[in-house]
Structures are given as structure tokens and as C-alpha cells.
Amino acid sequence: MHFLPENIDQYAVDHSQPEPELLQQLNRETWQKVLNPRMLSGHYQGRILSLLSKIIRPKVILELGTYTGYSALCLLEGLDPEGEIHTIDQNEELYDLQRKYFDLSGAGARIHQHLGRADTILPSLNIKYDLVFMDADKRNYPKYLEMILPQMNSGGIILSDNVLWSGKVVEQLDPYDEDTKALLDYNKTLATHPQLETVLLPIRDGLTLTRVK
């Protein structure tokens, strides 16, 4: 979902860092072979994720929602040389594609894939996180936040994708729309929680930047 005029949006892309070759390859393969390729972070948002990761220099990254691995590879660019990424996804059909590109990055050993439900896997990860990228099933965002918050290091960053949800967050709520309802609750929590500092950025479908005090 693009909220800016197309020519302004394109200007922003044209005047941002180019997409690295490996990510260009993954972008193409995703659009050629995988269902719902619009779920890909893509060039512009990927460069934002990369730059934020480079600023933060996290030692441990958690990603909820791997898809084809594009966003994980973007976050990898700022990972501490001794750091690691834990990425969780339910779709076993994408596991080998993810691993192919993780290994091609030269840092595949530092990217740990977890296959299954996030609410089942998270309790088994006894790790403190410096950076979390939330991009999984929207109706469980509030639950995931509750689970990860105790595991965040002070000063840690939570990035939350799709928080504008194609504009549905400002439309009349369909009582049967569980995803939008969950996002409304989640966005309110991020903005009002005493432990969090939050800015919602109108980038693509909405990206929230949250700092844990």
C-alpha cells in the first residue's frame, strides 16, 4: 500500500541506496515462484531496515515472519560480527529457499531458522534481544509483544510492519475483522505503554519504530 503519490514515492526510491545484488536475485525469485510476493519487504523498506540495523548494531535479532528471507538479510547487514539472528515462520515450503539465500550471504551459520508457531517457539528461546522485527500474523501482534517484551534489552528496538494495514486502521471497523482489531489494540499499546517510546512512520504500509526503556 503506497500512501504517497506514485511520482513522489518513486523519487524517494531513486534517491535511496541501491538494492544489493543478492537481494535483487531473491526479489526476482520471490516474484517468479512464491505466492503473495507483495509480502516481500522489497528494495525501499529493505534499505530502511538495513540502515536502522547498522545504526543499532544489534548482537541478537529476532524476526517474527521470515517469508523468503529478504528482511532477515537486510537486518543482517548491521548485525554485530559475533551476533546472530533467530527468525520464525510456519511455512515449511519456504524453508529451503530461505536457507539458500542465507548461505549465499556468507553468514548463513549466524541465521537460525525456527519452523512453527511463534507462540510455541518463543518460550523455548531463552535469549535477550536487541532488535525485533515484527512481521507475522497480525491478529497475534499483541500476544507476541507481551511475550517478547520481558526478553528485550534496555534500549532495544522493536520494528513493527504493516501497522497501517492498507488504511483499515482509520476506517470503520468490521466487527469480524480480527486482524484490524488486533492492530488497533497493538498500535495503541505501543503508543501508551510506559516502558516504550514509539514513532509510527507512514512508510509503505506503516512501520513503527519502538524503543524499550
Side-chain angles (χ1 to χ4, degrees):
M1 181 70 181
H2 293 196
F3 295 101
L4 290 174
E6 186 176 348
N7 59 342
I8 296 295
D9 189 88
Q10 189 59 51
Y11 185 87
V13 173
D14 292 342
H15 291 80
S16 299
Q17 185 187 38
E19 184 180 37
E21 175 59 32
L22 180 64
L23 291 175
Q24 291 180 36
Q25 295 174 19
L26 176 53
N27 200 331
R28 285 193 296 268
E29 187 163 354
T30 298
W31 279 90
Q32 290 168 354
K33 300 180 180 180
V34 182
L35 292 174
N36 300 318
R38 69 185 297 272
M39 291 172 59
L40 194 78
S41 291
H43 172 197
Y44 182 67
Q45 184 169 319
R47 292 304 84 206
I48 294 170
L49 296 178
S50 168
L51 191 55
L52 287 172
S53 185
K54 288 173 182 174
I55 293 169
I56 298 163
R57 300 299 291 173
K59 291 186 177 179
V60 181
I61 296 174
L62 170 68
E63 179 182 56
L64 302 179
T66 316
Y67 192 48
T68 58
Y70 190 101
S71 52
L73 290 172
C74 293
L75 296 170
L76 172 68
E77 295 176 34
L79 185 67
D80 183 272
E82 303 299 320
E84 59 184 16
I85 296 176
H86 292 267
T87 183
I88 303 172
D89 202 284
Q90 293 191 74
N91 192 342
E92 60 183 291
E93 294 180 0
L94 296 178
Y95 188 93
D96 290 341
L97 179 61
Q98 298 160 9
R99 177 46 54 188
K100 169 185 171 181
Y101 281 91
F102 291 162
D103 289 342
L104 285 171
S105 75
R110 295 195 288 140
I111 306 178
H112 308 287
Q113 295 163 278
H114 302 275
L115 185 61
R117 291 174 53 93
D119 56 358
T120 301
I121 293 169
L122 283 172
S124 70
L125 299 178
N126 187 23
I127 308 169
K128 289 286 190 178
Y129 308 114
D130 301 304
L131 175 60
V132 172
F133 183 45
M134 185 90 71
D135 192 19
D137 48 317
K138 311 312 167 191
R139 67 188 59 194
N140 282 315
Y141 270 27
K143 179 196 293 186
Y144 298 151
L145 178 64
E146 185 177 340
M147 296 179 77
I148 66 173
L149 203 48
Q151 300 302 117
M152 295 295 300
N153 283 319
S154 179
I157 299 296
I158 302 170
L159 302 173
S160 308
D161 200 15
N162 304 116
V163 290
L164 294 178
W165 207 224
S166 299
K168 292 181 182 179
V169 292
V170 294
E171 298 172 355
Q172 184 171 348
L173 179 64
D174 179 341
Y176 298 102
D177 187 347
E178 295 295 330
D179 289 327
T180 302
K181 183 179 184 300
L183 281 171
L184 289 169
D185 292 342
Y186 181 74
N187 290 342
K188 183 177 180 179
T189 299
L190 291 184
T192 60
H193 196 292
Q195 193 182 349
L196 305 177
E197 299 171 289
T198 290
V199 176
L200 197 161
L201 305 172
I203 295 169
R204 290 297 194 260
D205 196 25
L207 180 69
T208 299
L209 175 61
T210 300
R211 178 181 179 273
V212 180
K213 295 180 183 178

